[in-house]
């Protein structure tokens, strides 16, 4: 094989990008090891529970007098969105869509239609590593876990043959959605929290509140403006092997951070560990990484890409990033080999925003 052919194949598979990112990461670590870690100053926080997790709105104490009322209303909006997006409520719009879109096209509320279209596009861009219509696959694994077993390959094959957003028809003029066959189900678990965070943030901005941080379940975060004497909002990134310990602090300003990993949600069967993140292309759980964090302009995109990158792995994710028109940052935590230390792979993370613990 010629050197030019080898280099070209390295680029196409992401190996070239991975080598460059690892080298840059080593230089970055050497430059930043002595920098002090920024700390958070006084804040005010409002909290609600929705989508099976806590949603927090955090603001500076010296903000406008109306900010707490606006924060409360923003959290009320999260409950409205849960009622629309939840597959665990039979009367939600998404549940109704799952029941009715086969065999008849179903008209969808405009903003929900736009969200599903965004999810479809992200699925296509990531080669199906993220799939918003893999609900039947998620349900199969959930039901099997309750019965203390794992699915048979034949069961997985049957679900994969029937599902997937590629089998969903979008009528943009009528804002209608139709399933090509029975058994297809939307499940927005990998993008819904981020979407709710974005909508809450949009509400705050419309009410004149410009400095805040919102998170859903601590895995979907959106920060706007500044906090205390910082040039943004300091956000802690946990060690995926020791979740109670910090690994680094990120400074976020007018951007989102989402993290996907299996440190918390997993189960063991037959002596083997199974995580909750499924590869919608194979139907099986993914265990190639400890965690992935994605920095993007909005929380919904960061949510979806963190899941997709966890499924794709480092090399293919970096190749995907090279083809993006928008800037996306990523922090990968590969599983360390025996005897080696935890070593993250950083892509497009600005040096001035990264503070190792």
């Amino acid at each position: 094989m010629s050197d030019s052919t080898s280099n070209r194949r390295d680029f196409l598979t992401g190996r070239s990008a991975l080598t460059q990112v690892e080298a840059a990461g080593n230089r970055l670590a050497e430059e930043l090891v002595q920098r002090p870690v920024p700390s958070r100053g006084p804040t005010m926080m409002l909290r609600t529970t929705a989508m099976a997790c806590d949603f927090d709105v955090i603001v500076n104490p010296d903000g406008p007098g109306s900010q707490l009322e606006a924060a409360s209303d923003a959290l009320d909006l999260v409950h409205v969105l849960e009622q629309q997006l939840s597959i665990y409520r039979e009367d939600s719009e998404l549940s109704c869509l799952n029941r009715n879109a086969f065999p008849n096209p179903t008209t969808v509320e405009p903003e929900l239609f736009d969200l599903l279209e965004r999810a479809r596009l992200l699925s296509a861009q990531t080669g199906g590593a993220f799939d918003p219509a893999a609900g039947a696959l998620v349900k199969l694994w959930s039901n099997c876990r309750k019965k203390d077993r794992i699915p048979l390959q034949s069961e997985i094959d049957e679900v994969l043959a029937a599902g997937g957003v590629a089998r969903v028809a979008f009528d943009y003029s009528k804002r209608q959605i139709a399933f090509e066959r029975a058994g297809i189900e939307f499940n927005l678990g990998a993008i819904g929290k981020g979407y709710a965070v974005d909508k809450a943030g949009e509400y705050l901005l419309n009410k004149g509140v410009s400095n805040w941080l919102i998170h859903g379940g601590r895995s979907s975060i959106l920060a706007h403006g500044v906090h205390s004497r910082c040039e943004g909002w300091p956000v802690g990134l946990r060690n995926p092997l020791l979740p109670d310990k910090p690994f680094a602090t990120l400074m976020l300003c007018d951007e989102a951070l989402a993290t996907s990993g299996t440190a918390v949600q997993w189960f063991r069967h037959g002596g083997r560990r199974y995580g909750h993140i499924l590869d919608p292309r194979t139907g099986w759980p993914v265990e190639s990484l400890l965690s992935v964090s994605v920095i993007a302009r909005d929380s919904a995109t960061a949510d979806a890409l963190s899941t997709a990158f966890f499924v794709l792995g480092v090399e293919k994710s970096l190749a995907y990033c090279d083809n993006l028109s928008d800037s996306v940052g990523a922090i990968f935590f590969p599983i360390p080999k025996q005897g080696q230390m935890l070593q993250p792979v950083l892509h497009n993370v600005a040096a001035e925003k990264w503070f190792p613990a």
Side-chain angles (χ1 to χ4, degrees), residues 53-289:
C53 67
D54 289 334
F55 276 77
D56 291 352
V57 175
I58 302 171
V59 296
N60 296 320
D62 58 353
S66 61
Q67 65 178 354
L68 291 182
E69 181 180 356
S72 178
D73 292 342
L75 291 176
D76 287 342
L77 178 59
V78 172
H79 289 283
V80 173
L81 293 172
E82 180 180 28
Q83 176 57 41
Q84 182 183 44
L85 304 178
S86 176
I87 60 169
Y88 302 105
R89 298 183 178 184
E90 293 186 1
D91 60 342
S92 74
E93 184 170 359
L94 195 64
S95 292
C96 293
L97 177 64
N98 284 338
R99 286 195 301 270
N100 299 325
F102 179 83
N104 300 314
T106 301
T107 301
V108 180
E109 187 271 331
E111 290 193 341
L112 177 56
F113 185 94
D114 291 343
L115 173 61
L116 295 175
E117 165 57 14
R118 285 179 62 193
R120 184 203 65 79
L121 180 60
L122 285 166
S123 180
Q125 290 174 340
T126 58
F130 160 75
D131 194 324
L137 178 65
V138 175
K139 184 180 292 185
L140 171 64
W141 276 91
S142 177
N143 291 338
C144 287
R145 180 178 179 178
K146 293 175 182 176
K147 298 175 182 177
D148 193 27
R149 71 178 184 91
I150 61 172
L152 301 174
Q153 185 62 52
S154 59
E155 294 175 311
I156 292 175
D157 292 341
E158 182 179 355
V159 167
L160 293 181
V165 74
R167 297 179 177 87
V168 178
F170 287 74
D171 186 327
Y172 301 98
S173 62
K174 297 181 180 179
R175 291 191 175 273
Q176 291 184 335
I177 287 177
F179 297 157
E180 292 182 0
R181 58 186 300 175
I184 299 175
E185 293 184 23
F186 279 113
N187 182 322
L188 301 183
I191 195 173
K193 281 194 302 181
Y195 176 72
V197 166
D198 287 335
K199 286 297 184 181
E202 182 181 306
Y203 182 89
L204 290 177
L205 291 177
N206 289 337
K207 291 297 182 179
V209 184
S210 57
N211 298 309
W212 42 261
L213 181 143
I214 306 172
H215 77 72
R218 301 191 180 277
S219 61
S220 304
I221 299 171
L222 182 64
H224 196 277
V226 297
H227 166 65
S228 189
R229 293 186 295 272
C230 301
E231 296 181 356
W233 288 81
V235 175
L237 197 66
R238 295 293 173 179
N239 185 319
L241 289 176
L242 302 168
D244 292 334
K245 294 187 176 181
F247 187 90
T249 295
L250 280 169
M251 190 66 65
L252 297 180
C253 182
D254 302 346
E255 56 196 346
L257 173 74
T259 300
S260 291
T262 58
V264 177
Q265 297 188 53
W266 57 275
F267 72 101
R268 191 174 296 277
H269 178 81
R272 179 177 172 181
R273 183 183 186 277
Y274 294 90
H276 75 289
I277 298 178
L278 305 173
D279 186 338
R281 303 165 303 177
T282 67
W284 286 90
V286 184
E287 293 291 344
S288 58
L289 294 166

